[in-house]
Structure formats: C-alpha cells, structure tokens
Amino acid sequence: FVSVKMAAAQIKSFLIYNTTFGTREENEHEKLLYFYPDDMEMGKKMNLVGMSEALGNFTRAFSPQQSIEVLHTQKARRVFLNPEPDFYMSMSIFLPTRITKSDGKKATEYIDSAVLDKAVKEVLQQAYVMYKLLQGTMASTLKAQNREGLMQVMKAFYDQYIPTLDIANLNLIDSMIGLQFLPLEKTNYLRIQCFINQTEAYFPEIITSVFLHNQHLVWSGLDQADMRTVYRYLLGVLSSAQSDVTSNDFLFGPEDLSDPDSPISAPRLHVTLAGQPSPLPMIAYQCSGTTCCFFIHPDSLLDLDFYRRLQDYIQPKLTALDVRVAQKAAMRASLAATVSQDYPYDYVYFNHMNLAQKSTFLPLNRRKPTADSDDRRLASLCRSEEVQLMGDVQADFDTQPGSQREAEVLAKTHRDTWVVGRRSEQREYFLQLTNKPNANLIEINDEIRRLSQTHFGNIFLLD
C-alpha cells in the first residue's frame, strides 16, 4: 500500500534589517527591525540576518550594482530586496512537498519547480510598496520616530499584512502585477472625464481623482506606478466592504453624515506628485458598482460640511454615470460570453507598458481562501500542470537574449493540453487549449491566429 500526501508552500520567515545599526558585536541585535514569526528565539533570528547580510556582501563582490535576489536550497526558497539605502528585506518559504509512505518507509520530495522565482520576488516587492503607500518610506519613519518607533510601525503593519499572503497558490498571475481596465466607448469615457474635471474645479481641495467600475480602472490622475499600488489596495478594501457599504456611501469618510460626532476615516496614502512623495488624504465614495476616489490637499479642512457638500454634488452625477457604464458593460459581457462559446480558450494577457492585465480563468484579484472548499478549488487551478508550465515558459522568456521583442513557445502536457506562450515587444500572453488533443503544430498556430484576431484584434502582436 502506497500513500501520498501533499503539503503546500508556506512562509518560513520574513525579516527586515538595517546595516547602520548594531555595528558592534554586543549590540548586533539592533540591526533587526522586524521578524516573522515573532516566536523564534533571538539567536536564530540573528543567524538569518547574518546569513542574508553575508550573501549580499559576497554577491556584490562579483556584481557591485546588483546584489543577490534569489537563493535556492533543497527545502526552501529565499528572496532578497534592498528597497532603500541601508534597509534590507528577506523572505523565505518552505517548498511544497510530496510525502510518500510505502512498506513502512517514508520519502519526502521537495518540489522546487512548483515555485516561480519571479512570483516570490514580486510578493516581497509588493510587501514593501504597500508599506510605503500606507506609511511612507522606512527612512522617513525612522527620521520622524527613531528606531523604536519604526519597529512599532513595521510590527503593526506586517503582523496584519503577512497572514493575508496566499503563498500556497502563487502562480503566473503573481508575477504580473497589473491593472484591469474597463474598455469604454468614447462618449461614456468623455462623460466620466468631464465629471472628474468639473468635480475637481468645484472642489479646489481635490488634487487628483481615480474612477473605477466593478473593480476595473476607468480613469486615473495618478502616476502609473502609484496607481498600480493604490489599485491593489482599493481591491482589498472593495472586496472586504461589499457587504458593509450601502449602494451610495463613503468607503473612506464619515460613518454617518447625520451624526455630528461621527468618526471620519480618510487614510493618508503616500503618492508621487511632481516627482515628490506626498501623503494625501483619500476619500472614496461608492455608488452601486462605481467607486470614485479623491486625493485631497493635506492642509484642507475635512469636516462634515465638506463631506455633505461633496456627496450632494457627486451622488446624482455618479448615479447617472453608473447606469450608463453598467449597461454597456453588460452588453460587452454578453458578447464576450457568446464569443467564448465559439472559441473555448483559457488565456492570460499582460502588457508591460501600460500594465493592462486580463485573464479568463486565473483569478486576478484573489484573496487568501477562508473556506476549505475555496482553498481546494483554487489550489487545483493554480497548481495545475498547465499553469506551472506557463510560469516556466515565462521564466524561459526572461532568460533569453532579446526576449523583450519576440518569442514563442508551444508545448503539450501529459494530459494532452496544448500550452502556448507568446511575447511580442512588451506584451505577452499565455493560453491553454484543452479541446485539441490530436492537433498538430500547424492547426495550433491557426487556433492562435483566430484567438489573436478575436480577442486582441486592436493590439499589435507580431505574427
């Protein structure tokens, strides 16, 4: 009798340290600013800090401009990041395992190929940029609050952030942090832009705005890099607030406009304006499927009167816009459903230039599963042979010289599913065809051409 048990990847450790602290042996522990999990003894924590520092120093001897990024071991994967001068971050994850028992003997296999370097590196990068969005740079916090204050801020943030990471289901999508855009015809887009311009002119306190519909970006006045981080932050807020917010209400703002003592929540997000980081209060108002965010001048008085005037002004306009956009979105979704019946492809698309992202089968805005049934369903999808192969193809693209211009790979899995990866300039897409087990390369190429014409007809892809 042979039994097989699978264990998913999980976080082993997460640490942040600063090399300007603890320069003497007796106070070396002062280098460490944050460590997860906190219940590990200090000696083991400092061993990991010392190893990370030693690896960085060793690799810089060969590449002064670029330190170590990824370390592979038999049982774990460790990634490294130097986000700011003198500040270093490192995260280690246990590799997924396959434990086989036969005739009383147990064998453990560590599945190194199931973890994508690019996805794990992006998780660590996002852990920093999300901290920077909500708290500012680490250096600015250190300057304002000293070392102990910085450690308290990091602990408060990362103790909540790290448990939300879905390490077990990392896949191709996690290496493509992008934006989901909502395609609109010119008339409705101009209506939305006119609404934004009029609102910003009527309320001089507003510096810039963001407009979303059903978690898709329609318009943004933010820098592209800031928008990507703000977008991920908003998706988390919108997902958790769907059952708590009425059809017309502030996501960020006063809890009750009729109560003069109502608490007001307007988080200060650190975004870039005119090349300078600026902590700006953000107000978010939700009207059915539409969410409008306003970034306010930091010196503005945000009292209940301001929020009442803002709601009275934007609510009727947003209601009308929401109806128009929802009608067009429903028509587009119906057409897409009809097309997908004729062309049953599953694909993932990413544009590195404008960060546009699409997927027909992998969830783009997933959160860590809370129910066992959701976890099993997501795991079977994200850890499938086809999705892992797509990740391998993307990694192959990144290692090939000149791969940023044009590359293509076609492969067939053991389950007779065709997997295709194509990169053209800064655009790439990956698809799987499950209904063509006996097709040859010529027929698969014809299917790829049909897909490109159907779904990417207005996008330039080298053929």
Side-chain angles (χ1 to χ4, degrees):
F1 176 74
V2 178
S3 66
V4 179
K5 182 179 179 181
M6 304 295 294
Q10 58 181 312
I11 288 184
K12 179 182 179 182
S13 64
F14 183 103
L15 61 95
I16 305 173
Y17 64 95
N18 185 305
T19 54
T20 62
F21 297 118
T23 55
R24 299 189 305 274
E25 185 175 354
E26 60 269 21
N27 67 346
E28 188 179 19
H29 65 278
E30 293 181 1
K31 287 182 180 180
L32 184 61
L33 300 175
Y34 177 80
F35 194 95
Y36 178 93
D38 190 44
D39 57 1
M40 185 181 294
E41 62 182 56
M42 180 57 70
K44 293 182 178 180
K45 292 179 181 179
M46 293 312 300
N47 286 341
L48 290 173
V49 172
M51 184 191 71
S52 298
E53 192 172 4
L55 285 169
N57 293 334
F58 176 75
T59 54
R60 273 192 292 273
F62 300 94
S63 178
Q65 303 301 322
Q66 186 175 10
S67 182
I68 185 172
E69 294 183 346
V70 183
L71 174 67
H72 288 232
T73 65
Q74 180 186 9
K75 300 179 180 180
R77 184 76 50 83
R78 181 172 288 277
V79 287
F80 306 84
L81 180 66
N82 178 202
E84 300 177 25
D86 302 322
F87 285 93
Y88 295 86
M89 303 174 67
S90 178
M91 181 179 69
S92 178
I93 65 173
F94 288 112
L95 295 175
T97 58
R98 181 185 293 109
I99 303 173
T100 305
K101 290 184 179 181
S102 177
D103 298 328
K105 297 180 180 180
K106 183 172 73 172
T108 302
E109 177 188 0
Y110 297 91
I111 311 174
D112 182 82
S113 60
V115 178
L116 298 176
D117 284 350
K118 195 171 182 180
V120 184
K121 286 164 57 178
E122 193 61 49
V123 169
L124 185 60
Q125 177 68 31
Q126 290 301 311
Y128 168 71
V129 297
M130 196 61 69
Y131 173 91
K132 182 181 176 183
L133 175 71
L134 296 172
Q135 307 294 340
T137 62
M138 296 176 179
S140 64
T141 309
L142 177 63
K143 183 178 180 180
Q145 303 189 38
N146 65 45
R147 176 179 174 273
E148 287 69 26
L150 173 61
M151 292 177 64
Q152 292 177 5
V153 172
M154 286 183 171
K155 181 172 178 57
F157 176 79
Y158 284 112
D159 279 358
Q160 291 187 352
Y161 180 82
I162 292 177
T164 66
L165 299 177
D166 189 14
I167 299 298
N169 296 312
L170 288 182
N171 61 77
L172 177 73
I173 289 296
D174 297 284
S175 65
M176 302 175 173
I177 306 299
L179 306 167
Q180 285 185 276
F181 291 95
L182 182 69
L184 283 179
E185 70 285 356
K186 187 181 299 183
T187 303
N188 277 337
Y189 181 80
L190 290 176
R191 284 194 177 100
I192 291 171
Q193 191 173 32
C194 182
F195 162 76
I196 295 293
N197 293 339
Q198 288 178 340
T199 305
E200 292 179 357
Y202 193 81
F203 295 91
E205 299 91 344
I206 299 176
I207 296 178
T208 190
S209 309
V210 172
F211 192 102
L212 299 96
H213 182 79
N214 286 343
Q215 302 187 4
H216 286 65
L217 182 62
V218 178
W219 195 93
S220 169
L222 292 175
D223 174 83
Q224 187 182 72
D226 285 335
M227 187 61 242
R228 173 160 63 173
T229 310
V230 171
Y231 180 72
R232 286 177 61 83
Y233 173 68
L234 287 173
L235 291 184
V237 172
L238 292 171
S239 298
S240 61
Q242 283 180 351
S243 59
D244 301 330
V245 180
T246 58
S247 58
N248 296 282
D249 204 352
F250 284 101
L251 286 173
F252 292 121
E255 292 183 4
D256 185 358
L257 283 174
S258 61
D259 182 4
D261 298 322
S262 175
I264 298 176
S265 64
R268 286 181 177 262
L269 302 187
H270 295 73
V271 297
T272 303
L273 292 177
Q276 297 296 323
S278 304
L280 303 180
M282 185 187 73
I283 298 172
Y285 189 84
Q286 186 170 4
C287 177
S288 190
T290 297
T291 304
C292 202
C293 303
F294 304 103
F295 290 83
I296 310 298
H297 193 282
D299 298 328
S300 299
L301 177 62
L302 301 180
D303 55 10
L304 283 179
D305 179 64
F306 172 80
Y307 285 100
R308 291 191 187 101
R309 290 189 296 113
L310 180 63
Q311 185 183 48
D312 291 342
Y313 182 83
I314 66 175
Q315 182 175 328
K317 295 178 173 59
L318 272 182
T319 301
L321 286 173
D322 179 77
V323 172
R324 289 179 177 274
V325 174
Q327 289 176 345
K328 293 295 183 180
M331 293 172 58
R332 190 177 296 107
S334 177
L335 178 61
T338 302
V339 171
S340 64
Q341 294 177 358
D342 298 330
Y343 304 98
Y345 309 115
D346 289 327
Y347 70 86
V348 176
Y349 168 81
F350 185 63
N351 186 328
H352 291 268
M353 292 181 287
N354 66 357
L355 305 180
Q357 189 179 39
K358 298 179 182 179
S359 174
T360 60
F361 71 111
L362 285 174
L364 296 177
N365 307 321
R366 63 181 172 84
R367 308 179 71 195
K368 190 171 184 177
T370 55
D372 290 341
S373 58
D374 294 336
D375 185 42
R376 288 193 296 269
R377 185 165 53 252
L378 185 61
S380 64
L381 179 62
C382 295
R383 303 174 205 168
S384 68
E385 180 184 6
E386 291 77 16
V387 172
Q388 291 190 13
L389 181 56
M390 290 179 184
D392 294 338
V393 171
Q394 186 193 47
D396 183 68
F397 285 166
D398 292 336
T399 58
Q400 296 298 321
S403 62
Q404 290 296 319
R405 292 193 57 82
E406 184 178 6
E408 185 176 45
V409 171
L410 291 85
K412 196 174 186 180
T413 69
H414 294 296
R415 298 191 297 186
D416 287 334
T417 299
W418 282 94
V419 173
V420 180
R422 173 179 286 191
R423 175 174 290 180
S424 179
E425 296 295 335
Q426 293 290 318
R427 306 173 180 90
E428 59 188 26
Y429 71 81
F430 305 87
L431 68 144
Q432 62 178 15
L433 296 90
T434 57
N435 60 341
K436 300 289 182 180
N438 300 317
N440 55 39
L441 287 176
I442 296 177
E443 293 171 335
I444 294 300
N445 271 317
D446 290 339
E447 291 294 330
I448 296 171
R449 190 173 293 109
R450 293 173 63 194
L451 168 74
S452 300
Q453 293 173 351
T454 304
H455 295 281
F456 307 111
N458 59 342
I459 298 174
F460 175 70
L461 293 169
L462 295 176
D463 195 357

